[in-house]
Each structure stands twice: as C-alpha cells, then as structure tokens.
Amino acid sequence: MSPVSRGRKTKKKKPQSLDSELRAAFDDAIAEYEGVTDLLDVELLTSDLLGEFWSPHEPERSERDLVFPLLKHAAADQSAAGFALLRAVEALGPGEQVRERAGAAAERQSALGMREPAWAGALRAVEVTGCVRQSDVFGDHEVLVFRCRRGETGHGLVVEVDLHGLDDVYLTVEEDKIIEELRKDTGEFLTCDDIPLAEGRRIVEAAMAVNDSIEETEPDEGPLVEARAYVLARLEAMPPAEAVEPVDQPDIDGIVHEFFAAAQDIPDNEDTRYFAAALVEFGHALDERSPLRASPGRFEAFFADLLQADDVDESAVDALRAVAVGWARWRGGQEELPAAAVELMLEEVEAMLVAVADELAAPQRG
C-alpha cells in the first residue's frame, strides 16, 4: 500500500484494474486447469505457473504484483478451473502467505457449493522412499533418482547435477526403467548406489543454491524456473539434509608447499606458485567440502575463470600447463583415482590448455 501523509485523512483509492495483457495471461493460466485430473499433470502445470508469475529473487514484488492478483482473478472467475487453480496454489505455493490466500479464497468458493477437484486432498500427500545415485569417478556429474509415491501409485523425481548446479530435473513414471539403466551403465568411470535421503536432499539443495545465484542475473534461465514447486514438495517430504561441518579457510601456502614437494619436476617460480595458489582458492570457492579435488570439469571452470578475470597471458601458458598437469597427477594419486581416469583427465586438460592458448592468441585479446 502507498504511504499516506501523517494526520490527514485520505480518500480510498479504487483498486486499479488489470491491464489487458495481464488479464489475458491470467485467463490463459486458469484455462489450463480445465479438465486436468492427473496428479502429476496438476503438479507440472502449477509448478510451471508459479515459475512464470513468481521469482525467488523478488518474492514480495512477485506476490504483490502478480501472484495475489492472479488468485483474486481466479476467485472472481467462479469457475471449476479457477477453483482448481486456487487449490493447486494452496498446496504448492512458494510461501505461507501465498498458500493461505489461495486456501482462503478456495474455502469461500467451497462454502458456496463449488465441487472439490478429485486430486485436492492428495496433492501434498507425497512420500519419498529412496534415492539412487549414479556419479562419475571425478564427481563432476551426478544423476539422482528419488523414488516417490502417493498411496500405491509410484513415480520418480530425476535430478541431474554438475559443477554448475542443477542441470536438469523432471518427474517420471518410468523411474524403475531409469534406475535399471543407471545400474547397468557402470564401470571404471561410473558408479551407481543407493544413498540416504538426507544426503540426496543435501546434494539437491546445494545445487539449487548454485542455480539461484545464476538465475539472479538470468531469471528466465535454468531448469528450476518451471520445476521449483514440485522439487520443493518432495524435498519437504524427505528427512532434513545431512549437516555440513564448517570448513576452515585453506592453508594456501601450506598446500602449495606440499604440492611442489610432491611434484618436484615442476619449476618453482612466481608464475607456477601463483597458479597453484589460484587453484586452491578456486577449489575452495567452488566446493568447500572437497576444495582440492581434481577433475576435468573443475579444470574447465578454472581455466574459464582465469580467462574471464584476465589473470593469464601468453607468456604464462607454460607455467599454467605445468601446474595443471602436475596438480592432476598429484591429486589423482591422493584421491586414488583409477590410472585410466587420471590419463583421461590429463588428455582433457591438455586439450583445454590448447584452447586457452588459442584464446589468448586471438586478435581480439591483443
């Protein structure tokens, strides 16, 4: 509400009517609920709806300017589809106030005789019973399949996670088939096992936090825009995420000293020490739980970060190569990676370094 002058009475302003474009968007949203009876379809529809009208980065503005007007419009529509929208948002809305408003509006219509959707009581009654994870040997990519059910009807939530956060997410009724394929697709570089739900929840929540930091600058991008509501509904049905112990700041000088002591063939000079320290700092910023881990994905992100920050030039490429290759060999041994995995990582690092050198030599960087 707009502020008013102290000590003065003001005339109440008439509520502004919706502009034609927003009204049309609200009408389209309501129409989507006509005849929808499947629970998963309702979830997908509602999650997509909330992704369009609500932002986690501007929740108050989203509620004030979009979600609350949408709920008011759905209530005024006085149709079965509008009523269904209210019940769906009551169950899956992004915040307590949104759910309360949707529920209050729906209750008023129910009291007037509006028939409840067949799915209304079951939308939030979801259980998560297990989690299967496939991950690569480097820890760069994970696929998690959460087994879920409502009563006797099962389904799955599939979440793919990489260094950039949540890469893909979807609901499926073929969770058994997907899990079977993941278990078959294992070997020297891939593992698949059951993990506790608390661990699975931690992985997903950490990935969502990364996505949110990216979507703050690119709010219309990323899989969470349309999936947040149904993902949160399942996270809330799991045990609390496993606690993460606080991690101290790394002893950069000590780690760099240990690295050069282990990799004695690397020239010890200002450039190589700079890149070794930068690797430690970057790893800690990326993942406090395992800041020293070496992987193709981490090297790719590290090189991209150096280029973006303009922290490397053509004269230092040899020093960067020595440190990257030495780090891959050192950490590969420390983490007991299979020899074939270390060799694969070294091949990919060398290819990345060629790309870095090409980028630095490009005319536009001159």
Side-chain angles (χ1 to χ4, degrees), residues 11-60:
K11 293 182 179 180
K12 291 184 179 179
K13 293 182 179 181
K14 293 182 179 180
Q16 294 182 343
S17 59
L18 297 173
D19 62 49
S20 58
E21 185 176 353
L22 194 56
R23 181 183 293 274
F26 288 173
D27 286 338
D28 288 344
I30 293 170
E32 291 285 343
Y33 283 85
E34 291 180 1
V36 179
T37 58
D38 182 81
L39 277 164
L40 292 183
D41 288 341
V42 175
E43 277 197 287
L44 291 169
L45 178 59
T46 307
S47 200
D48 188 19
L49 171 79
L50 293 169
E52 183 175 356
F53 291 112
W54 185 84
S55 166
H57 312 297
E58 297 181 297
E60 294 181 357

Side-chain angles (χ1 to χ4, degrees), residues 237-306:
M238 300 180 200
E242 62 175 12
V244 177
E245 295 295 327
V247 178
D248 295 331
Q249 288 291 324
D251 176 9
I252 296 175
D253 290 340
I255 295 169
V256 170
H257 177 78
E258 183 182 358
F259 167 59
F260 279 98
Q264 296 181 1
D265 57 329
I266 297 177
D268 187 348
N269 57 47
E270 184 178 354
D271 284 341
T272 54
R273 282 192 169 270
Y274 172 80
F275 289 127
L279 256 175
V280 178
E281 291 177 341
F282 180 81
H284 185 268
L286 189 67
D287 182 2
E288 292 183 351
R289 291 168 63 92
S290 54
L292 306 184
R293 184 167 58 83
S295 74
R298 285 204 178 190
F299 279 114
E300 182 180 22
F302 175 62
F303 296 147
D305 188 67
L306 287 177

